[in-house]
Amino acid sequence: MGNLVVQGVNKAFAGLKALNNVNLNVQSGTVHAIIGPNGAGKSTLLNCFVGKLEPDTGTVMFEDQSLLNRQPHEINQLGVSRVFQTPEIFPDLGLLENVMIPAFAHRDGSFRLNWLPRIDNEAEIRERAEHMLEDVGLADNKADHAGALSRGDKRRLELAMCLVQEPRLLLLDEPTAGMSRADTNNTIDLLKRIGERGITKIVIEHDMHVVFSLAQKVSVMAQGTVIAEGSPEEIRGNPKVQEAYLGGAHL
Amino acid sequence: MFGLSKKDGTLFLVVIGMTLFAPILLNPFPEGSELAQFNAGYPDLMQRFVIFGIFAIGFNILFGLTGYLSFGHAAFLGVGSYAGVWMLKLLTMNVVPAIMVSVVVAGLFSALVGYISLRRSGIYFSILTLAFAQMSFALAYSVLTPITNGETGLQLALDDPRILGVSQVNGSIPPTNFFGFEMRDGFTLDIASWSFTFNVGYYLCAAIMLIAFYLSIRIFRSPFGIMLQAVKTNQQRLRFTGVNTRPYTLAAFIISGMYAGLAGGLMVAMDPLAGAERMQWTASGEVVLMTILGGAGTLIGPVLGAGVIKYFENIFSKINDNVLYNWFSFMPDALQDAFVFMIHPFIGKGWHLTLGIMFMLVIICLPGGVVEGGQRIAKLFRRKKSGPADSGAASLPNSTPAE
């Protein structure tokens, strides 16, 4: 459950090879980090998992089902949720509604003409959403409009929106980017706690502190391909990785 | 109350009260007085208030909730009108089948238009709907003349078959009715110098508007409604949340098309004729104005917007220079001329100018429309009440504490 197997994925944009024969094996229940310099193709790879991009060649299998040639909502309904690089929330709606919407989507499927009941009377969904907001530490301002939140809080809200759906695979695109050190540590704690639920997670991250405190396995990408893979300790000592990072940093 | 929250229930009760007593509320000035021309409580205008109210309520379900701005909703109203007249011609002068068929036909047509137009969003969606409406308008004028009777408009005739009714009564076309109650019937109540007309047609329209309004509240507050709001605020996120947004927007489009068809059906139930000009882009634009003026995305806003625009159209347009001279008769002649000259462009045929200025002021000062204006005034009063002592706060449990 929750395992993802990527084989031979290629993607080119107008001649530029963004992904070059990427192979990845994410085991069920683990936290798998993908690191690499800017432009390495990390986000492009993630986009291929959620139906935002279609790879030119290759396969992406989630629990023995292909994720290719599917609409984003179909992939989500299979049990894959994603936290975006810039928080994607419903800014005009309240915090509670923000979390209730994914909960409805999880319960009712991709479409249901559910116009008769009142949203206030959906006690079960409401409770779950409130519980989820508590979990991420946003319970105190549930009446606010989500657009007014700070960037870090938006990200936590987005995480709550994904978790309330009880996904089996959670994709996190730089979950701590732009956060203070304190917020980053809070997020690490949060992610560790949800790690106990057995959700498989793929984390894209620049912050090595985050990577080494969360991940069981790390894949390093550079120029559209995976150059190294292993446990955090193995990766730390790998000369190829250091070269890729230093090279990237000076460019 | 009615399965609504306390706040919505109160709003609904207020709307019920206002529609029931509209013939009295809209006629505040005594008959024959100088201000009597500002009275709006005559059946024809009251019917228009509620019919366009229905049109705008439906439009708001699409535009207010999903943010998809349709510029072609008049097409559904027009199609509904034609379908309604055909029912009156072929079937019976009872308005019930006419109204029902109007809704169904408009629903089917909006399913087709929506299915195609909703492939795009934003300005492209608006242009697609506009194109469909203008095509419908042009076709009704030309190719479809056998169905629409072209420029003349579709009317009842003395030789209509009317299989469930009679073709004519004493050599004239029978009036539209609701199980025997004729739409034009009513009675006039004279109290002192006031005169109030209670009309069957108005009350039928009002009852249907109340049902339509109630349904729209239910939609707004339902899980379905919250999904539509999510489409407006971040459609991308909604897709990645496992929601297929297409059927949601299409459902909203069809529902609002059916509301438009209902309005068209009621129009012909009140006055059995339908013309192509009902589908013209100006008519589509009008419902956009109504919704924005009243407050898009609010429950009561579209009804208020419809009321304001129809009031201006029918009352302001009737004020002419003679009336103005009368008002300013207390002034010296030269001053009187000057005032009349200045105000002249804004009244009579110039009512559009007044409306336009008002619309601009509302958009700039009150982006939330008339409803936002009302909220601000209410807030002002609350603050005043709770200002000097804190005693006011206890009596207003829902009021926000003064900052």
Side-chain angles (χ1 to χ4, degrees):
Chain A
M1 292 292 276
N3 62 313
L4 184 84
V5 180
V6 180
Q7 271 176 336
V9 165
N10 284 288
K11 178 77 192 172
F13 296 107
L16 176 78
K17 276 219 151 199
L19 295 177
N20 189 4
N21 194 28
V22 175
N23 297 300
L24 207 62
N25 194 345
V26 180
Q27 257 139 40
S28 171
T30 59
V31 179
H32 193 126
I34 301 175
I35 61 171
N38 287 327
K42 306 182 298 289
S43 291
T44 309
L45 185 63
L46 231 54
N47 286 340
C48 291
F49 301 163
V50 293
K52 208 174 177 180
L53 286 177
E54 283 300 320
D56 300 332
T57 57
T59 57
V60 179
M61 303 295 282
F62 171 64
E63 296 175 348
D64 303 325
Q65 276 176 301
S66 174
L67 293 185
L68 303 184
N69 297 312
R70 284 183 200 267
Q71 296 279 320
H73 67 263
E74 294 173 309
I75 292 173
N76 176 281
Q77 292 288 348
L78 289 176
V80 181
S81 279
R82 174 175 183 183
V83 175
F84 285 81
Q85 198 169 355
T86 44
E88 291 274 353
I89 52 166
F90 302 113
D92 298 341
L93 301 178
L95 264 65
L96 192 60
E97 286 158 331
N98 263 275
V99 187
M100 281 173 86
I101 287 166
F104 278 126
H106 180 57
R107 187 193 69 182
D108 297 343
S110 62
F111 174 70
R112 183 173 161 202
L113 197 57
N114 193 17
W115 69 274
L116 216 50
R118 245 171 65 199
I119 194 160
D120 311 352
N121 294 344
E122 298 274 5
E124 198 195 320
I125 297 276
R126 198 187 184 83
E127 258 166 48
R128 279 182 53 194
E130 278 170 355
H131 197 77
M132 205 63 242
L133 281 175
E134 254 167 58
D135 252 16
V136 297
L138 288 173
D140 294 338
N141 40 11
K142 61 187 166 198
D144 292 343
H145 273 213
L149 294 176
S150 71
R151 199 183 159 98
D153 282 350
K154 277 182 188 159
R155 209 176 274 285
R156 281 197 293 193
L157 176 64
E158 198 185 8
L159 201 54
M161 291 162 70
C162 288
L163 289 177
V164 81
Q165 298 195 308
E166 293 169 359
R168 294 191 299 284
L169 175 62
L170 182 61
L171 309 173
L172 299 141
D173 198 345
E174 300 194 31
T176 64
M179 278 190 185
S180 66
R181 179 51 74 187
D183 269 345
T184 302
N185 285 334
N186 283 339
T187 309
I188 292 173
D189 287 345
L190 182 66
L191 289 173
K192 272 187 179 159
R193 259 190 294 135
I194 61 173
E196 291 156 14
R197 296 176 202 194
I199 305 170
T200 313
K201 285 183 278 300
I202 298 178
V203 186
I204 291 182
E205 189 55 77
H206 277 300
D207 190 334
M208 290 306 130
H209 172 59
V210 179
V211 171
F212 292 127
S213 36
L214 281 177
Q216 280 110 41
K217 202 170 175 193
V218 181
S219 295
V220 186
M221 284 185 75
Q223 289 164 355
T225 188
V226 178
I227 57 167
E229 199 169 67
S231 70
E233 287 72 31
E234 287 164 10
I235 292 300
R236 220 195 296 245
N238 190 321
K240 261 165 94 184
V241 176
Q242 284 166 354
E243 188 201 350
Y245 256 89
L246 288 174
H250 285 292
L251 272 177
Chain B
M1 203 176 346
F2 314 114
L4 302 177
S5 71
K6 206 175 158 204
K7 207 173 141 203
D8 295 338
T10 313
L11 176 70
F12 188 49
L13 279 182
V14 169
V15 174
I16 290 178
M18 275 175 31
T19 42
L20 279 185
F21 296 108
I24 299 170
L25 296 171
L26 293 172
N27 262 4
F29 308 111
E31 204 65 24
S33 73
E34 221 165 81
L35 291 170
Q37 59 184 309
F38 288 108
N39 280 341
Y42 54 95
D44 185 43
L45 182 55
M46 288 193 300
Q47 288 167 6
R48 241 173 285 165
F49 279 156
V50 285
I51 289 173
F52 278 93
I54 292 172
F55 190 21
I57 289 170
F59 186 77
N60 192 40
I61 290 175
L62 179 70
F63 175 56
L65 288 181
T66 69
Y68 276 81
L69 176 56
S70 161
F71 260 113
H73 256 52
F76 308 128
L77 186 130
V79 167
S81 290
Y82 283 123
V85 176
W86 274 111
M87 282 301 111
L88 296 175
K89 281 168 90 73
L90 299 176
L91 210 60
T92 163
M93 287 306 277
N94 190 332
V95 296
V96 174
I99 293 170
M100 289 197 308
V101 170
S102 298
V103 174
V104 171
V105 172
L108 292 174
F109 187 50
S110 59
L112 173 75
V113 174
Y115 183 77
I116 298 168
S117 305
L118 285 165
R119 290 175 174 274
R120 291 284 171 269
S121 60
I123 187 80
Y124 303 102
F125 167 80
S126 303
I127 296 293
L128 279 171
T129 50
L130 177 64
F132 268 109
Q134 286 300 87
M135 274 195 287
S136 312
F137 168 68
L139 287 177
Y141 251 121
S142 55
V143 188
L144 294 177
T145 300
I147 301 172
T148 61
N149 204 19
E151 273 178 63
T152 329
L154 190 60
Q155 291 165 347
L156 300 185
L158 283 168
D159 56 353
D160 285 332
R162 214 159 289 135
I163 42 178
L164 294 179
V166 286
S167 293
Q168 40 180 291
V169 179
N170 303 331
S172 63
I173 299 166
T176 52
N177 66 77
F178 177 73
F179 298 109
F181 296 99
E182 291 179 12
M183 288 299 117
R184 62 187 177 193
D185 265 3
F187 70 95
T188 305
L189 182 69
D190 290 304
I191 302 173
S193 52
W194 279 271
S195 167
F196 306 117
T197 311
F198 299 89
N199 167 261
V200 174
Y202 166 72
Y203 277 103
L204 178 74
C205 293
I208 293 177
M209 190 211 69
L210 288 174
I211 297 171
F213 183 58
Y214 175 76
L215 288 179
S216 109
I217 302 181
R218 290 301 293 257
I219 290 174
F220 265 64
R221 301 295 183 232
S222 70
F224 172 67
I226 199 89
M227 288 298 181
L228 298 182
Q229 282 170 289
V231 167
K232 183 181 183 175
T233 169
N234 191 346
Q235 183 160 197
Q236 179 85 343
R237 188 5 123 193
L238 197 58
R239 286 206 186 101
F240 286 100
T241 302
V243 175
N244 191 358
T245 55
R246 280 286 294 284
Y248 277 102
T249 47
L250 185 60
F253 194 90
I254 294 173
I255 290 169
S256 75
M258 287 165 82
Y259 269 72
L262 177 63
L266 283 173
M267 272 183 195
V268 299
M270 299 302 116
D271 182 13
L273 88 175
E277 75 287 341
R278 238 170 238 183
M279 308 214 248
Q280 214 174 355
W281 66 272
T282 47
S284 296
E286 199 180 48
V287 74
V288 180
L289 289 192
M290 286 172 181
T291 309
I292 295 177
L293 188 68
T298 62
L299 287 169
I300 190 69
V303 185
L304 296 177
V308 170
I309 287 185
K310 285 294 145 189
Y311 186 83
F312 266 78
E313 183 183 293
N314 291 278
I315 304 294
F316 253 69
S317 61
K318 273 192 218 137
I319 306 172
N320 55 30
D321 284 2
N322 286 338
V323 179
L324 284 183
Y325 273 111
N326 227 343
W327 286 355
F328 300 120
S329 56
F330 62 91
M331 294 175 174
D333 273 359
L335 207 58
Q336 192 184 8
D337 283 343
F339 263 84
V340 172
F341 178 76
M342 276 193 305
I343 299 178
H344 173 82
F346 297 95
I347 51 146
K349 282 178 185 160
W351 72 273
H352 279 111
L353 184 58
T354 318
L355 184 69
I357 292 172
M358 202 176 66
F359 187 72
M360 285 194 286
L361 284 176
V362 165
I363 294 299
I364 295 167
C365 306
L366 299 167
V370 176
V371 169
E372 190 186 332
Q375 283 167 345
R376 284 198 193 174
I377 291 169
K379 219 180 196 177
L380 219 66
F381 274 101
R382 270 181 207 169
R383 208 168 278 171
K384 260 184 200 160
K385 262 190 193 169
S386 56
D390 277 334
S391 57
S395 60
L396 291 163
N398 287 331
S399 71
T400 46
E403 285 102 324

